[in-house]
Short mmCIF file of all heavy atoms in Angstrom, two decimals:
data_model
loop_
_atom_site.label_atom_id
_atom_site.label_comp_id
_atom_site.label_asym_id
_atom_site.label_seq_id
_atom_site.Cartn_x
_atom_site.Cartn_y
_atom_site.Cartn_z
N SER Y 139 -31.61 18.21 -9.72
CA SER Y 139 -32.92 17.63 -9.44
C SER Y 139 -33.67 17.41 -10.77
O SER Y 139 -33.62 18.25 -11.67
CB SER Y 139 -33.69 18.61 -8.55
OG SER Y 139 -35.04 18.57 -8.87
N PRO Y 140 -34.36 16.25 -10.91
CA PRO Y 140 -35.05 15.95 -12.18
C PRO Y 140 -36.10 17.00 -12.54
O PRO Y 140 -36.44 17.17 -13.72
CB PRO Y 140 -35.72 14.60 -11.92
CG PRO Y 140 -35.26 14.12 -10.60
CD PRO Y 140 -34.52 15.20 -9.90
N ASP Y 141 -36.60 17.73 -11.56
CA ASP Y 141 -37.62 18.76 -11.82
C ASP Y 141 -37.03 20.02 -12.46
O ASP Y 141 -37.77 20.86 -12.98
CB ASP Y 141 -38.28 19.23 -10.52
CG ASP Y 141 -38.91 18.08 -9.79
OD1 ASP Y 141 -39.24 17.10 -10.48
OD2 ASP Y 141 -39.06 18.16 -8.56
N MET Y 142 -35.74 20.17 -12.36
CA MET Y 142 -35.15 21.43 -12.83
C MET Y 142 -35.05 21.41 -14.37
O MET Y 142 -34.44 20.51 -14.93
CB MET Y 142 -33.77 21.61 -12.21
CG MET Y 142 -33.30 23.04 -12.26
SD MET Y 142 -31.59 23.24 -11.69
CE MET Y 142 -31.77 23.53 -9.99
N ALA Y 143 -35.66 22.38 -15.01
CA ALA Y 143 -35.55 22.49 -16.47
C ALA Y 143 -34.19 23.11 -16.80
O ALA Y 143 -33.67 23.93 -16.03
CB ALA Y 143 -36.67 23.35 -17.01
N THR Y 144 -33.62 22.71 -17.94
CA THR Y 144 -32.27 23.18 -18.25
C THR Y 144 -32.18 23.67 -19.70
O THR Y 144 -32.76 23.07 -20.60
CB THR Y 144 -31.24 22.05 -18.02
OG1 THR Y 144 -31.67 20.88 -18.71
CG2 THR Y 144 -31.10 21.72 -16.55
N THR Y 145 -31.44 24.73 -19.87
CA THR Y 145 -31.17 25.27 -21.20
C THR Y 145 -29.65 25.30 -21.37
O THR Y 145 -28.95 25.75 -20.47
CB THR Y 145 -31.72 26.70 -21.35
OG1 THR Y 145 -33.13 26.67 -21.13
CG2 THR Y 145 -31.44 27.28 -22.72
N VAL Y 146 -29.17 24.77 -22.49
CA VAL Y 146 -27.73 24.74 -22.74
C VAL Y 146 -27.45 25.41 -24.08
O VAL Y 146 -28.01 25.03 -25.11
CB VAL Y 146 -27.21 23.28 -22.79
CG1 VAL Y 146 -25.71 23.26 -23.05
CG2 VAL Y 146 -27.54 22.53 -21.50
N ILE Y 147 -26.59 26.43 -24.06
CA ILE Y 147 -26.14 27.08 -25.29
C ILE Y 147 -24.65 26.78 -25.42
O ILE Y 147 -23.86 27.12 -24.53
CB ILE Y 147 -26.31 28.62 -25.22
CG1 ILE Y 147 -27.72 29.01 -24.81
CG2 ILE Y 147 -25.90 29.28 -26.54
CD1 ILE Y 147 -28.77 28.76 -25.83
N LEU Y 148 -24.27 26.13 -26.53
CA LEU Y 148 -22.86 25.79 -26.73
C LEU Y 148 -22.32 26.48 -27.96
O LEU Y 148 -22.90 26.35 -29.06
CB LEU Y 148 -22.71 24.28 -26.89
CG LEU Y 148 -22.85 23.46 -25.60
CD1 LEU Y 148 -22.87 21.97 -25.91
CD2 LEU Y 148 -21.72 23.78 -24.63
N GLU Y 149 -21.23 27.20 -27.79
CA GLU Y 149 -20.59 27.87 -28.92
C GLU Y 149 -19.51 26.96 -29.50
O GLU Y 149 -18.60 26.53 -28.78
CB GLU Y 149 -19.96 29.18 -28.47
CG GLU Y 149 -19.32 29.94 -29.63
CD GLU Y 149 -18.56 31.17 -29.18
OE1 GLU Y 149 -17.36 31.04 -28.86
OE2 GLU Y 149 -19.14 32.26 -29.17
N ASP Y 150 -19.62 26.65 -30.78
CA ASP Y 150 -18.59 25.83 -31.43
C ASP Y 150 -18.80 25.86 -32.94
O ASP Y 150 -19.94 25.82 -33.40
CB ASP Y 150 -18.64 24.38 -30.95
CG ASP Y 150 -17.53 23.56 -31.56
OD1 ASP Y 150 -16.36 23.84 -31.25
OD2 ASP Y 150 -17.80 22.68 -32.39
N GLY Y 151 -17.71 25.85 -33.70
CA GLY Y 151 -17.83 25.91 -35.16
C GLY Y 151 -17.51 24.60 -35.86
O GLY Y 151 -17.58 24.53 -37.08
N HIS Y 152 -17.16 23.53 -35.11
CA HIS Y 152 -16.83 22.27 -35.78
C HIS Y 152 -18.10 21.62 -36.33
O HIS Y 152 -19.09 21.50 -35.60
CB HIS Y 152 -16.18 21.28 -34.80
CG HIS Y 152 -14.84 21.72 -34.30
ND1 HIS Y 152 -14.68 22.38 -33.10
CD2 HIS Y 152 -13.60 21.59 -34.83
CE1 HIS Y 152 -13.39 22.63 -32.91
NE2 HIS Y 152 -12.71 22.16 -33.93
N PRO Y 153 -18.04 21.09 -37.59
CA PRO Y 153 -19.26 20.48 -38.15
C PRO Y 153 -19.64 19.16 -37.48
O PRO Y 153 -20.78 18.73 -37.58
CB PRO Y 153 -18.88 20.24 -39.62
CG PRO Y 153 -17.39 20.30 -39.67
CD PRO Y 153 -16.92 21.14 -38.54
N ASP Y 154 -18.68 18.53 -36.76
CA ASP Y 154 -18.95 17.20 -36.17
C ASP Y 154 -19.18 17.25 -34.66
O ASP Y 154 -19.04 16.24 -33.98
CB ASP Y 154 -17.79 16.25 -36.50
CG ASP Y 154 -16.44 16.79 -36.06
OD1 ASP Y 154 -16.40 17.95 -35.58
OD2 ASP Y 154 -15.43 16.08 -36.20
N HIS Y 155 -19.53 18.43 -34.12
CA HIS Y 155 -19.63 18.52 -32.66
C HIS Y 155 -20.77 17.67 -32.08
O HIS Y 155 -20.76 17.36 -30.89
CB HIS Y 155 -19.72 19.97 -32.16
CG HIS Y 155 -20.75 20.80 -32.82
ND1 HIS Y 155 -20.54 22.12 -33.13
CD2 HIS Y 155 -22.00 20.53 -33.24
CE1 HIS Y 155 -21.60 22.61 -33.70
NE2 HIS Y 155 -22.50 21.68 -33.78
N ASP Y 156 -21.73 17.28 -32.93
CA ASP Y 156 -22.82 16.42 -32.42
C ASP Y 156 -22.30 15.05 -31.96
O ASP Y 156 -23.00 14.33 -31.26
CB ASP Y 156 -23.87 16.20 -33.51
CG ASP Y 156 -24.73 17.43 -33.69
OD1 ASP Y 156 -24.85 18.20 -32.72
OD2 ASP Y 156 -25.24 17.64 -34.79
N LEU Y 157 -21.08 14.69 -32.37
CA LEU Y 157 -20.53 13.39 -31.97
C LEU Y 157 -20.12 13.37 -30.49
O LEU Y 157 -19.91 12.30 -29.92
CB LEU Y 157 -19.30 13.05 -32.83
CG LEU Y 157 -19.56 12.84 -34.32
CD1 LEU Y 157 -18.25 12.66 -35.09
CD2 LEU Y 157 -20.46 11.63 -34.52
N ILE Y 158 -20.00 14.53 -29.90
CA ILE Y 158 -19.59 14.57 -28.49
C ILE Y 158 -20.80 14.19 -27.63
O ILE Y 158 -21.86 14.81 -27.73
CB ILE Y 158 -19.07 15.97 -28.11
CG1 ILE Y 158 -17.87 16.30 -28.99
CG2 ILE Y 158 -18.68 16.00 -26.64
CD1 ILE Y 158 -17.38 17.69 -28.81
N PRO Y 159 -20.63 13.13 -26.83
CA PRO Y 159 -21.81 12.63 -26.10
C PRO Y 159 -22.15 13.47 -24.87
O PRO Y 159 -21.78 13.11 -23.75
CB PRO Y 159 -21.38 11.21 -25.71
CG PRO Y 159 -19.90 11.24 -25.68
CD PRO Y 159 -19.44 12.33 -26.60
N LEU Y 160 -22.84 14.57 -25.08
CA LEU Y 160 -23.35 15.37 -23.96
C LEU Y 160 -24.65 14.74 -23.48
O LEU Y 160 -25.58 14.57 -24.27
CB LEU Y 160 -23.59 16.81 -24.41
CG LEU Y 160 -24.28 17.73 -23.41
CD1 LEU Y 160 -23.42 17.94 -22.17
CD2 LEU Y 160 -24.58 19.08 -24.05
N LYS Y 161 -24.67 14.40 -22.19
CA LYS Y 161 -25.87 13.72 -21.67
C LYS Y 161 -26.95 14.74 -21.33
O LYS Y 161 -26.92 15.33 -20.26
CB LYS Y 161 -25.50 12.93 -20.42
CG LYS Y 161 -24.60 11.75 -20.71
CD LYS Y 161 -24.27 11.02 -19.42
CE LYS Y 161 -23.13 10.06 -19.67
NZ LYS Y 161 -22.30 9.86 -18.48
N THR Y 162 -27.87 14.94 -22.24
CA THR Y 162 -28.97 15.88 -21.94
C THR Y 162 -30.10 15.14 -21.24
O THR Y 162 -30.08 13.92 -21.13
CB THR Y 162 -29.50 16.54 -23.23
OG1 THR Y 162 -29.85 15.51 -24.14
CG2 THR Y 162 -28.47 17.45 -23.85
#
Side-chain angles (χ1 to χ4, degrees):
S139 146
D141 302 336
M142 199 186 269
T144 51
T145 300
V146 180
I147 308 290
L148 285 172
E149 182 186 88
D150 183 66
H152 294 96
D154 55 356
H155 51 219
D156 285 334
L157 296 174
I158 300 173
L160 173 64
K161 291 180 193 150
T162 54

